[in-house]
């Protein structure tokens, strides 16, 4: 019998505090997962992620499938060994990437034919192939191939996406190697109308016995923030209470705080690392752009309330100098700071939930 995957420790109007139990360790929730699209979280060492108390990272099936490929990972034994990361890993299906990045793609009910954005080689991904690759990776959480609707989408497009996502999930479940210690999440699609999202949720839950969690995909793709917020508030209560809920690709600290209140447990987003590489920092004073000349003589810390290495060691002036000189160290320090900031946001949210649960 499979051991419990998720334990809810506390639940109230502030959200849920829980623990994911995976083969590579426990993950306290709500949790933010740094994005390691190509098998690395950009501009930061795995050692530093551990020092920041991150326990779980994300890898992307689409990118890892193209390079290094299944054989490259099999030779290492597992994705964990290949990356030098011994903590839990969630692998995204790559559905969003294959549909948004690939050239000359063709989507059918059978799967997605596409040309690599790297060298133009032709590939065909099916739900079965996506599961097979993730099982070769031995990731702790797998995501099935899904079909997101891109904003704006017609009602017909939204419903076609949710139906295809469900049928692909059915095939994913059938293709899984049993028994497996890997968790499989179902993805709720359906675009930007609650009617279609609820239909997707209802269909996905038909396979609840095979799913260890639920994800909400296809958001933060251009839709108004208020529309996204309203949709989540209506949708999340309809997802199974006892299983983790994962909001894919969202978002800012403000987005995350709102979603935690709505009952979401897991998040990933490229923002903290991407903005760090482009000279921007999340701080207690708001987002700062270190490229701006106003920081050239500012000898105060990046964030006076932050205890990370970048803030306790360097000044805004020095960071401005690194950014405008295009030094690699700027990417490293701002990425480290931003991930520290996000980690503190998640820690504060969890502590708030626990403190109000008596």
């Amino acid at each position: 019998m499979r051991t419990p995957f998720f334990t809810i420790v506390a639940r109230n109007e502030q959200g849920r505090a829980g623990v994911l139990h995976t083969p590579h360790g426990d993950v306290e929730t709500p949790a933010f997962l740094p994005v390691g699209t190509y098998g690395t979280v950009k501009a930061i060492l795995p050692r530093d992620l551990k020092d920041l108390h991150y326990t779980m990272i994300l890898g992307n099936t689409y990118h890892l499938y193209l390079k290094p490929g299944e054989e490259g990972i099999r030779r290492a034994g597992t994705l964990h060994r290949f990356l030098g990361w011994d903590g839990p890993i969630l692998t995204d299906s790559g559905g969003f990437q294959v549909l948004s990045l690939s050239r000359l793609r063709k989507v059918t009910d059978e799967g997605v034919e596409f040309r690599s954005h790297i060298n133009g080689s032709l590939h065909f991904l099916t739900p079965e192939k996506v599961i097979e690759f993730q099982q070769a990776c031995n990731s702790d959480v797998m995501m099935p191939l899904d079909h997101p609707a891109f904003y704006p989408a017609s009602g017909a497009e939204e419903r076609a996406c949710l139906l295809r996502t469900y049928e692909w999930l059915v095939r994913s479940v059938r293709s899984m190697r049993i028994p497996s210690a890997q968790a499989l999440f179902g993805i709720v699609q359906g675009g930007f109308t609650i009617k279609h999202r609820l239909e997707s949720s209802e269909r996905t839950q038909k396979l609840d016995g095979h799913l260890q969690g639920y994800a909400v995909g296809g958001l933060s793709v251009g839709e108004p923030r208020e529309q996204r917020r309203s949709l989540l508030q209506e949708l999340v209560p309809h997802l199974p209470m006892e299983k983790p809920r994962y909001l894919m690709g969202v978002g800012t600290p403000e987005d995350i705080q709102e979603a935690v209140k709505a009952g979401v447990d897991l998040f990933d987003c490229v923002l903290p690392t991407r903005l760090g590489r482009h000279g921007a920092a999340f701080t207690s004073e708001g987002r700062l752009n270190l490229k701006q000349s106003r920081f050239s003589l500012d000898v105060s810390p990046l964030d006076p309330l932050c205890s990370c290495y970048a803030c306790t060691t360097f000044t805004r002036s020095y960071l401005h100098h690194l950014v405008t000189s295009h030094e690699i160290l700027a990417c490293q320090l701002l990425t480290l700071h931003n991930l520290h900031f996000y980690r503190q946001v998640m820690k504060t949210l969890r502590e708030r939930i626990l403190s109000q649960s008596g």
Side-chain angles (χ1 to χ4, degrees):
M1 180 179 293
R2 189 185 184 98
T3 57
F5 177 68
F6 183 56
T7 302
I8 298 176
V9 178
R11 182 175 70 246
N12 52 46
E13 67 278 2
Q14 297 299 321
R16 294 149 36 118
V19 183
L20 287 182
H21 308 286
T22 83
H24 290 88
D26 289 349
V27 180
E28 292 186 343
T29 65
F32 179 81
L33 281 56
V35 177
T37 302
Y38 291 92
T40 177
V41 180
K42 289 182 171 61
I44 191 166
L45 293 169
R47 178 190 64 201
D48 293 332
L49 288 174
K50 290 283 188 181
D51 289 344
L52 292 174
H53 303 291
Y54 279 102
T55 51
M56 190 175 198
I57 64 173
L58 178 143
N60 184 267
T61 295
Y62 167 80
H63 290 288
L64 294 171
Y65 166 79
L66 291 176
K67 186 180 181 181
E70 186 171 332
E71 184 59 25
I73 292 172
R74 284 190 184 278
R75 293 208 172 209
T78 66
L79 182 59
H80 301 78
R81 291 175 187 161
F82 186 72
L83 307 187
W85 174 262
D86 60 3
I89 297 175
L90 180 150
T91 41
D92 188 3
S93 71
F96 176 83
Q97 286 76 19
V98 77
L99 291 167
S100 62
L101 297 181
S102 305
R103 294 177 289 149
L104 304 176
R105 59 175 172 79
K106 179 181 179 182
V107 185
T108 68
D109 290 340
E110 183 60 26
V112 185
E113 182 182 83
F114 66 98
R115 290 197 177 275
S116 166
H117 69 284
I118 299 172
N119 57 19
S121 56
L122 187 65
H123 300 269
F124 190 70
L125 275 184
T126 64
E128 294 82 2
K129 182 64 179 176
V130 167
I131 292 296
E132 177 187 344
F133 180 81
Q134 291 182 88
Q135 291 195 310
C137 291
N138 196 35
S139 52
D140 298 85
V141 176
M142 300 184 294
M143 306 304 297
L145 187 63
D146 61 320
H147 190 175
F150 290 90
Y151 186 84
S154 68
E157 290 172 327
E158 291 181 343
R159 192 156 193 274
C161 287
L162 79 87
L163 292 175
R164 180 168 284 146
T165 294
Y166 171 69
E167 292 301 326
W168 283 355
L169 176 60
V170 171
R171 289 167 54 187
S172 298
V173 166
R174 289 174 180 166
S175 71
M176 282 189 64
R177 192 169 58 238
I178 304 295
S180 173
Q182 294 173 275
L184 178 68
F185 281 26
I187 303 179
V188 174
Q189 290 288 356
F192 313 96
T193 55
I194 189 62
K195 178 181 74 171
H196 291 140
R197 288 287 178 166
L198 291 177
E199 180 180 352
S200 179
S201 171
E202 182 178 346
R203 288 177 178 272
T204 304
Q205 290 180 58
K206 292 179 181 179
L207 298 168
D208 185 70
H210 302 279
L211 305 175
Q212 286 69 54
Y214 289 79
V216 179
L219 292 180
S220 196
V221 290
E223 77 281 0
R225 179 184 175 190
E226 189 53 42
Q227 184 178 10
R228 177 170 67 249
R229 179 184 181 186
S230 175
L231 189 150
L232 279 173
Q233 289 175 338
E234 291 188 66
L235 171 63
V236 172
H238 293 272
L239 301 177
M241 176 67 68
E242 73 281 2
K243 294 187 177 180
R245 300 143 171 181
Y246 165 36
L247 180 55
M248 306 172 73
V250 180
T252 66
E254 294 76 19
D255 290 333
I256 290 173
Q257 291 175 53
E258 291 173 357
V260 166
K261 277 194 171 186
V264 178
D265 308 291
L266 296 171
F267 303 85
D268 80 277
C269 188
V270 298
L271 271 182
T273 51
R274 177 175 291 170
L275 291 182
R277 297 195 308 278
H278 289 84
F282 292 94
T283 76
S284 58
E285 300 174 8
R287 192 184 303 184
L288 302 182
N289 180 357
L290 273 299
K291 295 178 182 178
Q292 294 177 345
S293 59
R294 66 189 178 102
F295 296 115
S296 62
L297 299 177
D298 188 342
V299 294
S300 60
L302 176 60
D303 186 342
L305 301 184
C306 181
S307 62
C308 81
Y309 174 71
C311 290
T312 57
T313 310
F314 305 103
T315 65
R316 293 178 175 182
S317 174
Y318 181 64
L319 293 169
H320 167 80
H321 163 70
L322 293 177
V323 169
T324 56
S325 300
H326 307 290
E327 287 289 342
I328 294 173
L329 184 58
C331 302
Q332 295 173 303
L333 291 175
L334 292 177
T335 295
L336 184 146
H337 165 77
N338 284 345
L339 287 175
H340 182 276
F341 185 88
Y342 266 64
R343 181 70 185 90
Q344 291 303 113
V345 167
M346 306 313 297
K347 180 181 178 183
T348 299
L349 291 172
R350 180 179 171 85
E351 290 175 349
R352 186 178 301 159
I353 295 166
L354 292 173
S355 68
Q356 295 190 17
S357 295

